[in-house]
Amino acid sequence: KIHDVTLRDGEQQAGIVFNKEDKIRIASLLDEAGVHRIEAGMPAVSPSDAEAIKTIAGMGLNADIFAFSRCMVEDVKKAVDSGVKGIITEVPSSEHAIQKVYRWPLERAIDTTIKATSYAHEQGLYTVFFPIDASRADMTWYLNLIERIATEGHMDSLVLVDTFGVLSPHAVEYFVKRTQERIKKPLEIHFHMDFGLGVANSIVALMHGVETVHTTVTGIGERAGNTPMEDLVMALLTMYGVDMGINTEKMYELSKEV
């Protein structure tokens, strides 16, 4: 499946700002193209973003509409109010990021994550756990964190997150296999293009059992951007004979609009 993050992560590229009308048009075109899931934004960012997400969630699109949130109950409540079907819940997956970026004690980060993911599940949201910067975390710490959240909190699926685009294809195979040994949940991937490897890394991950890929239209996103949907879809279709169900004839119109 394609989980499109154009309206949230794509907007982090310098110089790009989507207003409510932009988001509605792009969401409609993503749906026409057959994208399976649309991450419409982060309600906690601003009232206008929350309004746009609520509007998109109420449009009756075929795609499942998701919101993005920090692992805080207050953020999850805003997502529930927006009427989305699912939620991406984020927390740093390294001790360094938790202590230096969030400036939280480690136990606080774990506790708030358990509460937030449990609350999201109780509210009927499909809950995706999104551990930021997992590709640079200590593997033992990362796996222990994930296992604890999966057992004491809740996750319907887990994202393998390469926030800074530092993975090689060989590292992706190792990352996926080590996670699968400990976590028996559907896996998703969120890769960036800092070394131009987002598409190759995504293909390797899919070959090893990952089910959902986070992409953006034309690969927009912070720094070098996210994995571009068009490149990935066409590579899978023409090189591997894998049809993801995306209407490729809609790609030009969608790309031009974005």
Side-chain angles (χ1 to χ4, degrees):
K1 292 182 177 180
I2 292 290
H3 174 98
D4 183 86
V5 297
T6 301
L7 300 180
R8 199 270 307 171
D9 214 2
E11 196 179 28
Q12 293 185 37
Q13 180 164 316
I16 293 181
V17 179
F18 297 131
N19 60 33
K20 179 182 176 180
E21 290 70 30
D22 294 331
K23 287 197 168 194
I24 291 170
R25 287 198 307 274
I26 293 168
S28 296
L29 290 172
L30 286 167
D31 193 56
E32 289 179 19
V35 166
H36 310 96
R37 295 188 340 198
I38 299 171
E39 192 176 303
M42 186 174 180
V45 165
S46 68
S48 61
D49 214 37
E51 184 181 345
I53 296 164
K54 188 172 185 177
T55 299
I56 293 170
M59 288 167 58
L61 302 179
N62 292 316
D64 293 331
I65 308 303
F66 278 61
F68 191 87
S69 82
R70 296 167 295 183
C71 281
M72 300 176 178
V73 172
E74 295 77 12
D75 275 25
V76 177
K77 287 179 178 177
K78 290 182 173 65
V80 172
D81 292 341
S82 68
V84 296
K85 182 173 183 177
I87 189 170
I88 311 294
T89 55
E90 71 156 4
V91 77
S93 61
S94 67
E95 297 172 87
H96 175 85
I98 293 171
Q99 293 172 328
K100 303 298 183 183
V101 180
Y102 273 46
R103 298 187 179 184
W104 284 359
L106 296 176
E107 198 57 37
R108 178 185 173 187
I110 295 170
D111 185 57
T112 58
T113 299
I114 290 170
K115 289 178 179 176
T117 56
S118 297
Y119 179 76
H121 177 60
E122 290 164 5
Q123 298 303 308
L125 295 178
Y126 185 90
T127 305
V128 181
F129 186 51
F130 189 94
I132 308 169
D133 203 13
S135 56
R136 301 193 305 170
D138 174 81
M139 183 62 76
T140 300
W141 156 263
Y142 157 76
L143 291 172
N144 288 341
L145 171 70
I146 302 303
E147 195 168 54
R148 187 167 172 190
I149 302 306
T151 53
E152 298 179 36
H154 181 83
M155 66 177 76
D156 290 301
S157 62
L158 168 67
V159 187
L160 306 183
V161 187
D162 185 23
T163 303
F164 290 95
V166 299
L167 288 177
S168 70
H170 306 87
V172 169
E173 180 179 0
Y174 175 78
F175 191 20
V176 173
K177 287 183 175 179
R178 283 294 305 275
T179 304
Q180 289 171 330
E181 289 170 3
R182 293 276 294 275
I183 310 299
K184 307 305 178 185
K185 297 285 183 180
L187 297 181
E188 310 185 9
I189 48 173
H190 181 103
F191 293 161
H192 282 262
M193 294 288 288
D194 296 74
F195 289 97
L197 293 171
V199 174
N201 287 344
S202 296
I203 291 172
V204 171
L206 290 169
M207 290 171 68
H208 288 89
V210 168
E211 298 178 10
T212 302
V213 188
H214 294 203
T215 64
T216 59
V217 174
T218 70
I220 64 171
E222 61 180 327
R223 301 183 321 279
N226 293 63
T227 300
M229 176 180 70
E230 300 83 359
D231 300 41
L232 177 65
V233 167
M234 292 306 298
L236 287 170
L237 181 63
T238 62
M239 298 173 71
Y240 293 88
V242 176
D243 187 348
M244 298 190 79
I246 301 299
N247 184 349
T248 57
E249 293 182 2
K250 294 288 184 179
M251 284 182 176
Y252 175 71
E253 181 186 1
L254 173 58
S255 299
K256 192 174 180 181
E257 180 62 32
V258 170

